[in-house]
Amino acid sequence: MEIGIDSFAAILPDPATGKSPSPTDRMADLLDEIEVADQAGLDVFGIGEHHRAEFLDSAPAIILAAAAARTRKIRLTSAVTVLSAADPVRIFQEFATLDLIASGRAEMVVGRGSFGEAYALFGADPRDYDELFAEKLGLLLRLNETTYPIWKGRFRAPLEGQGVYPRPHQPRLPLWIGVGGTPQSFARAGTLGLPLMVAIIGGTFERFRPLVDLYREAGTSAGHSPDKLKVGVHAMGFVGEIDMAAREAFFPGWAHLTEKIGRERGWPPPSRQQFDAMAGPEGAFLIGDPATVAAKMLQASEVLGGVSRITFQMSTASLETAAMKRSIELLGTEVAPIVRAAAHETEKAT
């Protein structure tokens, strides 16, 4: 199982003072965090894409390129690229360039996005929600296969064999499909034979098993081998020396963002009881000491029928800079060995 971190480059106010760090300082801290993740032996670091005041990740490829120059082994990915509101040609060029800087460590997770700001900002009509993504994904896959694409669609100018440069260091950029809870999205990823990244940011892992089964069934029906049908999980996560310390570092930022976004979407205010339930044994938050977190990761993989990658969304703990870096170290040096050893024993048994 690959283990990593996803960040939205959240910039949060201090609960005691109401003041936020400067964007420059927060970006510097984020690049330090990616460097620590590389040194700790983690497999992947992802940067999301949002177009909101709370986040600094509107241009993930630039952040990842800066990180590429400071790291050696860790894979660098979007988490996720809002492909529906983007030009696939430009996105491909950006990530191919990143791949050259990173000497073959770039990836992309592409999706439709859970926020709507990108659509209005870039002139995409949300009424074309599904059609936009399907067409642009098809073009991106085509670009990954050929330098001189012949292509025609509804939402951008046709391509008539123009060269699309640069080409990535890798023969092809690894592409994952990022999904939430829409069955059609799971089925589409399976039919295309693309790896699946499932955002599980609340509730339980078990409730996603039918959707993951749908993905695998669609992939098998389309003739794809099981080894191509990889499942990844993006979940809220944080590691501390003890369970309570991890919860205390994570809760304030989570409550702030959840309340703000919840007001926009008509959700009830979040409660500490709700948070503790999701951080408990049955919930989908991977928060606690190394043993607790490792056990929940293995549990998640078991109930979902096998998981190839788990990435931790730690952004809401960004106020605790020292705790963030320590959490990343613990994830790489203490959690990952437990999980990998257990996975190795499972493979030997089978």
Side-chain angles (χ1 to χ4, degrees):
M1 181 192 297
E2 294 178 326
I3 300 170
I5 295 167
D6 291 332
S7 176
F8 298 164
I11 183 163
L12 303 172
D14 187 314
T17 66
K19 294 182 178 180
S20 300
S22 74
T24 301
D25 289 344
R26 176 67 191 110
M27 191 64 73
D29 287 338
L30 174 59
L31 292 173
D32 286 346
E33 290 159 15
I34 302 173
E35 195 168 1
V36 170
D38 184 49
Q39 294 166 354
L42 291 174
D43 298 296
V44 61
F45 203 108
I47 299 293
E49 180 190 337
H50 300 83
H51 303 273
R52 299 172 59 94
E54 307 96 318
F55 306 114
L56 300 175
D57 61 349
S58 64
I62 293 178
I63 300 173
L64 292 169
R70 296 175 54 165
T71 56
R72 298 183 60 191
K73 296 181 179 180
I74 197 165
R75 299 194 67 78
L76 301 166
T77 184
S78 57
V80 305
T81 295
V82 185
L83 186 61
S84 300
D87 178 355
V89 174
R90 198 68 180 122
I91 290 294
F92 180 83
Q93 290 175 320
E94 290 173 353
F95 278 82
T97 303
L98 168 64
D99 201 47
L100 296 177
I101 297 169
S103 301
R105 292 183 284 130
E107 298 187 4
M108 293 182 69
V109 181
V110 299
R112 295 183 287 190
S114 61
F115 293 88
E117 290 84 3
Y119 290 80
L121 192 61
F122 298 110
D125 190 336
R127 292 175 295 184
D128 297 322
Y129 188 73
D130 196 59
E131 293 85 351
L132 276 164
F133 183 72
E135 178 178 301
K136 292 188 177 187
L137 176 61
L139 175 53
L140 184 63
L141 293 172
R142 180 73 177 146
L143 295 168
N144 214 17
E145 294 293 330
T146 180
T147 306
Y148 304 101
I150 305 293
W151 178 90
K152 186 175 182 180
R154 175 183 167 197
F155 297 107
R156 63 146 289 150
L159 296 172
E160 300 174 347
Q162 303 97 318
V164 178
Y165 301 106
R167 306 308 295 177
H169 176 90
Q170 300 170 89
R172 294 174 183 82
L173 287 172
L175 298 176
W176 296 63
I177 300 293
V179 298
T182 306
Q184 293 89 337
S185 297
F186 285 78
R188 171 167 39 214
T191 300
L192 292 171
L194 293 172
L196 183 78
M197 180 57 67
V198 189
I200 304 178
I201 58 173
T204 65
F205 294 111
E206 287 89 344
R207 70 187 179 97
F208 283 84
R209 179 59 186 264
L211 293 169
V212 171
D213 287 345
L214 174 62
Y215 161 73
R216 291 186 169 119
E217 290 163 5
T220 301
S221 297
H224 300 295
S225 61
D227 62 303
K228 285 190 68 177
L229 302 174
K230 298 192 295 184
V231 175
V233 170
H234 160 98
M236 297 288 187
F238 197 78
V239 190
E241 305 288 352
I242 58 174
D243 286 351
M244 189 52 66
R247 293 188 187 190
E248 294 303 320
F250 198 83
F251 176 75
W254 173 84
H256 173 83
L257 278 181
T258 304
E259 182 175 10
K260 180 174 175 47
I261 294 167
R263 284 198 304 268
E264 299 174 8
R265 300 184 178 185
W267 300 344
S271 68
R272 182 58 192 251
Q273 182 180 16
Q274 176 189 7
F275 173 84
D276 285 337
M278 287 190 285
E282 304 302 321
F285 285 4
L286 303 170
I287 298 174
D289 66 24
T292 295
V293 171
K296 290 194 75 174
M297 292 172 69
L298 293 168
Q299 176 194 17
S301 182
E302 181 179 357
V303 301
L304 293 173
V307 168
S308 298
R309 175 181 289 183
I310 294 182
T311 56
F312 283 52
Q313 209 294 77
M314 292 186 177
S315 292
T316 54
S318 62
L319 282 173
E320 301 283 350
T321 304
M324 276 284 287
K325 292 178 182 176
R326 180 58 178 155
S327 178
I328 293 167
E329 290 173 348
L330 289 170
L331 184 59
T333 61
E334 297 197 22
V335 175
I338 297 172
V339 172
R340 289 166 182 157
H344 180 66
E345 289 301 315
T346 300
E347 289 176 4
K348 284 172 56 179
T350 57

